[in-house]
Amino acid sequence: MTETGTITTPVRSAAAPPVLGGLGLFTVLLGAALPLIDFFIVNVALPTIGHDLNASEAVLELVVAGYGVAYAVLLVLGGRLGDLFGRRQFFLGGMAAFGLTSLVCGLAPTAWTLVAARVAQGAASAAMLPQVLATIQSATAGPRRAKAMGLYGATAGLSMVAGQILGGILVAADIAGTGWRSVFLVNVPVVILGLILAARAVPETRSQHPEPIDAPGTVLLAISLLTLLVPLTEGRAAGWPLWTWVSLALFPVAAAAFYIVERREDRGGRTPLVPPSLFSLLSLRRGLVMIVPFSIGFSGFMFVIAVALQRGAGLGPVPAGLALAPMAVVFFVVSLCGPRLVARYGTRIVTAGGLIQAVGVSLLVVTAWRSWPHLGVWELLPGAAVAGAGQALQLPVIFRIILSEVPPARAGVGSGVMITTQQSALALGVATLGTLFLSLASTHGMRDALVTTLLVQLAGVILTAALSLRLPRTIG
C-alpha cells in the first residue's frame, strides 16, 4: 500500500517460453529412435517369423509394409493434432500406444494378428514422432536448436542401422524362449521409462493459432500414399494382379486432387493439412527433394543386405546384423562432428558427404562381386565404414536445412511433411530396390542381384550429391 492509500498492482510478466532441457531432449530423442528402430528391426527376424507363424512371403512383406504405410499415411495428421491439442500430450499418448501395440506384436498368435498389430504400431508412431521435431523447433533457439537438430539427425541415422543389428542379436539370444518376439517386447520397458521421463521433463507446446483438421486433405493424402505404396510393396509377391496396376494408375489422379484441394484451402486463408505456401521456402523444398533419393537408397540397402547375407551368404541373424556395425559406429562418431563442420564449411559438407558415400558404396560393389558368398563384417568393413561416414555428413544436415526457415507456429506441419516424405521414401526403398533384388535373384543369382541393386543405389547417391550443389551455403 502506498502513502496515499492506493494499492499497487504488480505488472504480470508474460509467460516464459517453454524450454527443452537436456533430460527433455534425451526423452524426445528416445521417442524419435523407437519408430525408426522398429521399421528396420524386423528385417533380420523375418525368416524366423515366417517359420514360426507359417507365414507366406506376401504376408511377411505386409509385416514390414503395414507398419511403414500406416506410419507414412498418418504422420502429417499426427503433426497437426499435436499443434492443435498439445505436442506433449500427443507424444505421451503416442508413446503409450506404441508400447501397447509392441506388446500385442510380441504376443501375436498368428501372422495376420501380427500384421494388424504392426499397422496399429505404425499409427502410434505417427502420433508420437512429429511431436519430437515440433517440440525441438518450439522449445529451443539459436545454437541449442542447431545442436538439438544435429542430435536428432544423428539419432535417426543411427537408429536405422542399430535396429537391424539389435534385431539380429535379440533373435539369436532367444531371451526366455521368446525368439523373434523379443524384437517387439523389448520396446515395452523402454516405453515405460520414456513415459516417466516425458511426464517430468518434456514441456507442453502447441500452435498459438491452431486450425481445425483438414478432413478432405487428410483423406486425399491417405488415398495418394496408399495407391502408391501398397501396390509397390505387395505387387511382386502377389504376382502383379490387375488391382496393383489400377491402384498405380489412380495415384497421379489422387495426388492431383490433393494438391488442388490444398491450394484452394491455402488461398482461402485457411491452413490445409499440407500448405502449398510452405513449399515457397527454398530450403524446405530443396531439402525434401534430396531426402527422397537418400532415403530410398538407405532403406533399400538395409533390406537387401539383410536378405543377401542370410539367404545367400548363409549367415545367421547375429553375423548378418553385426556386418553393419562398422557403418553404425562410424555414423555415430562422424555425426557428432557435424555441427562444427557446418559452422565452418556450411552446406558444402553435404556434397562432400555424398561423394564419400559414393566411394563407400563403390567399395561394397567391388566386395560383393569379388568375395561372394564369403561376406561378413571384415569383408564389408571398408565399404560400410566409408558409406557410414558419408551418410553422417548428409542426413543430420539435410534435416536442419529442411526446417531451418519453418516458423514455430508451423513446426508441427513442417516436421510432419518432412517425416512423411522421409518415411514414404523409406517404404519406397524397400518396395523398389527390394523388388528389383528379389526379382533378379530368382533369374540371375544372388551375387548379380546384389551388385546390380548396389549400383542402382550408387546412382541415387550421386543424384543426392548433385542436388546438394543447389543448397544455400549457410543454414539459418
Side-chain angles (χ1 to χ4, degrees):
M1 184 174 295
T2 63
E3 292 181 3
T4 59
T6 59
I7 301 175
T8 58
T9 303
V11 178
R12 182 175 297 175
S13 61
V19 176
L20 185 67
L23 183 60
L25 178 60
F26 170 80
T27 305
V28 295
L29 291 180
L30 178 65
L34 285 171
L36 290 169
I37 287 175
D38 241 60
F39 184 85
F40 291 93
I41 200 170
V42 298
N43 282 347
V44 292
L46 288 176
T48 311
I49 294 173
H51 179 268
D52 189 29
L53 298 182
N54 194 27
S56 66
E57 185 178 341
V59 175
L60 288 177
E61 287 195 4
L62 277 174
V63 172
V64 178
Y67 176 86
V69 171
Y71 188 15
V73 165
L74 296 172
L75 272 166
V76 177
L77 179 61
R80 171 61 65 84
L81 290 171
D83 286 351
L84 187 61
F85 296 108
R87 293 157 188 153
R88 177 177 178 271
Q89 179 176 326
F90 259 78
F91 180 79
L92 286 166
M95 180 173 279
F98 184 86
L100 180 60
T101 52
S102 295
L103 179 62
V104 176
C105 287
L107 300 177
T110 66
W112 284 107
T113 305
L114 178 59
V115 169
R118 284 283 283 172
V119 171
Q121 192 183 36
S125 297
M128 175 171 58
L129 188 58
Q131 319 315 329
V132 174
L133 281 170
T135 299
I136 290 174
Q137 286 288 99
S138 301
T140 61
R144 292 185 68 251
R145 180 182 294 175
K147 181 180 179 181
M149 287 299 301
L151 287 173
Y152 174 86
T155 300
L158 185 62
S159 298
M160 290 188 276
V161 182
Q164 207 141 305
I165 299 172
L166 180 62
I169 294 173
L170 288 172
V171 170
D174 193 21
I175 302 170
T178 55
W180 60 267
R181 298 177 186 276
S182 61
V183 304
F184 301 112
L185 296 176
V186 70
N187 292 330
V188 177
V190 178
V191 163
I192 293 172
L193 173 64
L195 290 172
I196 294 171
L197 294 177
R200 295 184 57 189
V202 176
E204 180 64 280
T205 64
R206 67 183 71 202
S207 174
Q208 296 300 312
H209 305 286
E211 295 284 344
I213 300 302
D214 175 16
T218 301
V219 172
L220 287 170
L221 177 62
I223 293 173
S224 300
L225 292 175
L226 288 171
T227 53
L228 176 65
L229 296 177
V230 172
L232 287 178
T233 52
E234 287 299 300
R236 186 198 64 82
W240 295 106
L242 178 62
W243 71 264
T244 60
W245 300 107
V246 172
S247 181
L248 288 171
L250 287 174
F251 165 68
V253 178
F258 172 68
Y259 175 75
I260 291 170
V261 168
E262 298 300 274
R263 183 179 61 179
R264 184 187 63 197
E265 291 290 299
D266 208 9
R267 290 179 174 178
R270 296 173 291 274
T271 303
L273 188 71
V274 179
S277 59
L278 201 63
F279 294 91
S280 64
L281 301 175
L282 183 66
S283 57
L284 181 136
R285 189 170 66 247
R286 292 184 175 175
L288 288 179
V289 170
M290 288 183 61
I291 206 71
V292 171
F294 181 93
S295 298
I296 287 175
F298 198 117
S299 64
F301 168 77
M302 298 295 287
F303 176 80
V304 166
I305 201 69
V307 175
L309 292 179
Q310 290 188 89
R311 295 187 190 174
L315 299 183
V318 173
L322 290 179
L324 297 175
M327 178 180 288
V329 172
V330 174
F331 185 101
F332 178 71
V333 173
V334 174
S335 64
L336 293 179
C337 304
R340 283 177 291 179
L341 292 173
V342 171
R344 183 170 182 179
Y345 299 107
T347 58
R348 286 176 291 182
I349 71 162
V350 179
T351 307
L355 296 176
I356 293 170
Q357 186 186 0
V359 172
V361 175
S362 299
L363 290 173
L364 290 172
V365 170
V366 173
T367 301
W369 178 262
R370 295 180 58 183
S371 302
W372 183 266
H374 305 293
L375 295 181
V377 63
W378 297 112
E379 290 80 10
L380 295 174
L381 189 151
V386 174
Q391 291 165 343
L393 293 176
Q394 295 174 83
L395 188 62
V397 186
I398 293 174
F399 283 155
R400 282 184 59 188
I401 291 169
I402 292 172
L403 296 178
S404 61
E405 296 179 321
V406 176
R410 286 189 164 182
V413 177
S415 60
V417 169
M418 184 186 80
I419 303 169
T420 298
T421 304
Q422 182 201 19
Q423 183 59 39
S424 300
L426 290 175
L428 276 175
V430 174
T432 54
L433 295 185
T435 296
L436 173 66
F437 171 76
L438 292 172
S439 299
L440 290 176
S442 62
T443 57
H444 293 76
M446 196 74 75
R447 184 193 70 168
D448 290 353
L450 178 59
V451 169
T452 302
T453 307
L454 287 172
L455 287 172
V456 173
Q457 185 199 359
L458 179 61
V461 172
I462 294 171
L463 174 61
T464 306
L467 290 171
S468 70
L469 296 173
R470 301 177 67 240
L471 292 172
R473 288 301 180 192
T474 58
I475 303 175

